[in-house]
Amino acid sequence: MAEYALEINNLQKVYDNNVVALKGINLKVQKGDFYALLGPNGAGKSSTIGIIGSLVTKSAGKVSVFGNDIDTDLNKAKSMLGVVSQEINFSQFEKVLDIVVTQAGFYGIPKSIAMPKVENILKRLSLWDKRNDQARTLSGGYKRRLMIAKALIHEPQLLILDEPTAGVDIELRREMWSFLKEINKNGTTIILTTHYLEEAEQLCRNIGIIDKGTIVANTSMKDLLGTLNVQGFVFDLDQPLEEAPVIEGFPLKLEDPLTLVAAVNKDRSINALFSELTKLNIKIKSMRNEANRLEELFIEMVNANEN
Amino acid sequence: MKTNFNVTVSLWTLTVKEVRRFLRIWVQTLVPPAVTMSLYFVIFGSLIGPRIGSMDGFDYIQYMIPGLIMLSVITNSYNNVVSSFYSVKFQKSIEELLISPMPNWTILLGFVLGGVCRGVLIGIIVFGVSLLFYPDFTVANPLLTVTVLFLTSILFSLMGFINAVFADSFDDISIIPTFILTPLIYLGGVFYSINILPDVWRSVSMANPMLYVVNTFREGMLGVSDVSISFSLGMIITFILVLSVSCLYLLKKGTGIRQ
Ligand SMILES: Nc1ncnc2c1ncn2[C@@H]1O[C@H](COP(=O)(O)OP(=O)(O)OP(=O)(O)O)[C@@H](O)[C@H]1O
Ligand SMILES: [Mg+2]
């Protein structure tokens, strides 16, 4: 049996207009994982997903789904893979039920066998009552659900979702999260892209960050959040300083003569910092939290890639 | 690991989807040919026809029937595939096919069968309409008639498919039917026998591929033709083979389908 649900080696993509979308990325996603692929607009997330789903041709490199190379075992790879594309890709004039039954048919599942599955999945996604509606009459959030229903109809072991919650309201998003968590718990490996870092934090165990066609980070959510155990505090000073004081265990940075920024490890008491500052006769007018968490880190990593 | 993928089911699914599409919009797809052809029969058959007299020994309206059926079959088969496949591309629902394990030949065949169903159905409708105007019509060679009906429908469905593959806008799917297909059909002996033309134009007409399709069908329905039947059938089948191979090549390359 294959070791990974998805393995990508040196994947490159140059579009016909000479845009280099992927510059040789490597990615491994473990079986049963819940993986977030993050990156700014135009980073290459959808290109990567398109190649995995054979909607986009690759320029070079290898992709395998549960050990099935898409160059040699494409059909096996396809039967194990479900993809929810970023853009709506069903015929707007067909009925919800027909769309899902047809997608099952394309996977070779006859209608009689597909029907109970379709009913089950449409019910779970609260689409059953709308099964006879024309797809174009669905609201944006329900269109997303229909995309998910389509991608799951052949019971894939790897589900890839390209920004499934973009433009979805908070309630629906939380519903979708618990749905995805559940199917992940039942054994489906999930990869998703999102611009909501909170979403990645809520759902995913591992995380890859892609920027300008290269992977700039590939780590576990735990480790990533671990680096966030350092909290930033901003002190507004009473008197200007010429340079940042040096205090053991508390890295300090002078942003401007009246603003001092401290990185405080979560397991250290901020009281200690105060008493050290008082010792040095530095008076603090006010203090606030540096807005950071994941977003800050994300921007840092992406910015580091600028150079 | 089990992957007993069922090709028949996927082909059936696509074909049914294609047929359902043109039936759903029957006002756009099935009614217009019936209306237009009724007008042709009224004007050229009943009103002007008697003044024209006979053509190749047949009443003019009778002579016109096979031509008008072919005209409808050709345009409808072509249009069905070109508009369906283009809109599948345009709406991105082609991804539903590409993501599935369906082999390319079933994708092509599914669309062609959709075009053939519409072409043949339209052929039957127009024939039905013509019987209203000329109830005594008898088909000379039913086997040849049906064979040519199907072959023509297949041929022009394939052409429509190629058009859709290369189309980048809605303009691109109407340019060829309007500026190439329709003139060639009208000048391809739908309304007249090329025997009535001056020598020069008769020779020019011989280079029009539509002439062979229309005349082979007329041979089936009336038993008269301006061209050799075996040559025509051979050419039609050759073209079907060449176009099928081309379509499969385009699908494999992903032209206009996969970036
Ligand atoms: N069909 C195409 N033809 C040409 N260039 C393309 C095409 N699709 C994408 N690109 C380019 O490839 C690069 C990567 O795009 P991609 O869609 O993979 O980014 P993304 O990470 O999914 O971005 P987003 O977060 O905005 O969805 C971009 O520069 C984009 O302009
Ligand atoms: Mg994208």
Side-chain angles (χ1 to χ4, degrees), chain A residues 228-235 261-264 288-292:
Chain A
L228 282 175
N229 280 336
V230 181
Q231 275 259 31
F233 291 97
V234 182
F235 301 108
V261 180
V264 181
R288 63 198 143 86
N289 248 336
E290 193 179 46
N292 76 13

Side-chain angles (χ1 to χ4, degrees), chain B residues 70-81:
Chain B
M70 270 297 102
L71 170 67
S72 315
V73 170
I74 290 173
T75 49
N76 278 281
S77 306
Y78 190 96
N79 279 334
N80 196 67
V81 180

Side-chain angles (χ1 to χ4, degrees), chain B:
Chain B
M1 208 177 301
K2 57 149 186 56
T3 44
N4 33 9
F5 172 67
N6 193 331
V7 177
T8 331
V9 169
S10 65
L11 178 60
W12 173 252
T13 305
L14 179 55
T15 310
V16 168
K17 177 175 187 257
E18 282 302 293
V19 171
R20 221 173 40 208
R21 189 196 74 93
F22 75 73
L23 290 180
R24 187 173 55 225
I25 48 171
W26 58 277
V27 179
Q28 291 170 50
T29 52
L30 302 184
V31 176
V35 173
T36 321
M37 292 309 137
S38 302
L39 289 172
Y40 274 119
F41 286 125
V42 169
I43 297 171
F44 295 102
S46 307
L47 297 178
I48 300 178
R51 299 189 180 204
I52 296 175
S54 70
M55 184 82 66
D56 276 358
F58 293 93
D59 288 344
Y60 184 61
I61 185 168
Q62 196 181 0
Y63 186 85
M64 224 173 49
I65 289 171
L68 291 180
I69 293 177
M70 270 297 102
L71 170 67
S72 315
V73 170
I74 290 173
T75 49
N76 278 281
S77 306
Y78 190 96
N79 279 334
N80 196 67
V81 180
V82 78
S83 34
S84 178
F85 194 64
Y86 180 70
S87 71
V88 160
K89 260 173 63 171
F90 183 77
Q91 298 194 48
K92 289 183 181 289
S93 63
I94 185 138
E95 292 187 0
E96 295 176 343
L97 294 163
L98 298 180
I99 197 109
S100 80
M102 279 182 83
N104 288 338
W105 68 264
T106 48
I107 296 180
L108 178 63
L109 189 54
F111 279 96
V112 169
L113 286 176
V116 170
C117 287
R118 172 154 154 205
V120 170
L121 184 58
I122 293 290
I124 293 167
I125 290 175
V126 174
F127 184 57
V129 169
S130 69
L131 286 182
L132 296 177
F133 293 89
Y134 199 89
D136 296 337
F137 196 98
T138 47
V139 179
N141 184 343
L143 182 64
L144 181 63
T145 304
V146 172
T147 309
V148 178
L149 177 65
F150 274 90
L151 288 179
T152 307
S153 208
I154 294 171
L155 178 63
F156 288 92
S157 295
L158 287 165
M159 288 191 189
F161 191 87
I162 293 191
N163 189 166
V165 164
F166 286 105
D168 260 333
S169 70
F170 280 100
D171 285 344
D172 293 347
I173 67 171
S174 64
I175 286 174
I176 294 181
T178 311
F179 295 104
I180 299 179
L181 212 52
T182 311
L184 283 181
I185 304 171
Y186 276 70
L187 298 173
V190 168
F191 296 102
Y192 53 81
S193 160
I194 56 167
N195 292 327
I196 66 167
L197 297 177
D199 281 352
V200 181
W201 291 111
R202 187 157 56 219
S203 310
V204 172
S205 293
M206 295 298 277
N208 179 355
M210 300 298 170
L211 184 77
Y212 299 90
V213 178
V214 171
N215 272 285
T216 317
F217 191 65
R218 185 169 282 131
E219 171 74 33
M221 290 199 87
L222 294 177
V224 290
S225 163
D226 290 343
V227 298
S228 146
I229 298 306
S230 47
F231 173 76
S232 304
L233 280 177
M235 285 310 278
I236 294 173
I237 291 169
T238 309
F239 269 104
I240 287 176
L241 293 176
V242 170
L243 289 175
S244 302
V245 171
S246 314
C247 288
L248 290 174
Y249 172 75
L250 290 169
L251 277 172
K252 188 167 159 56
K253 247 184 67 184
T255 309
I257 295 163
R258 292 186 174 93
Q259 289 114 11

